[in-house]
Amino acid sequence: MSNNKQSLVPEAREALNRFKMEAASEVGVNLKDGYNGHLTSREAGSIGGQMVKKMIESYENGMK
């Protein structure tokens, strides 16, 4: 498996970035465009956790 940053669906990168910014806003983490090396592990994890939570909710709602 290669480790490049080329997306299979280029349009998905921007959508995922918007999703990440939305999730960060919901958990109260201030993200900026580009590198966010100032974030603590807890803040980064809360963003990822919120994203997973929303993806699961979306999937479950689609099953109904």
Side-chain angles (χ1 to χ4, degrees):
M1 181 190 298
S2 67
N3 191 17
N4 63 19
K5 292 194 175 217
Q6 184 177 358
S7 297
L8 292 176
V9 182
E11 300 82 23
R13 182 175 299 280
E14 184 57 35
L16 283 172
N17 194 41
R18 284 191 309 270
F19 184 47
K20 177 176 65 175
M21 296 299 257
E22 178 184 321
S25 175
E26 289 173 1
V27 295
V29 176
N30 186 18
L31 279 185
K32 59 183 178 182
D33 288 336
Y35 182 68
N36 284 284
H38 67 283
L39 294 180
T40 64
S41 296
R42 182 182 196 113
E43 290 171 324
S46 67
I47 295 168
Q50 181 69 8
M51 291 173 72
V52 170
K53 178 181 173 184
K54 292 185 81 57
M55 285 186 269
I56 291 171
E57 287 174 355
S58 175
Y59 179 79
E60 288 175 340
N61 288 337
M63 292 176 55
K64 294 179 181 178

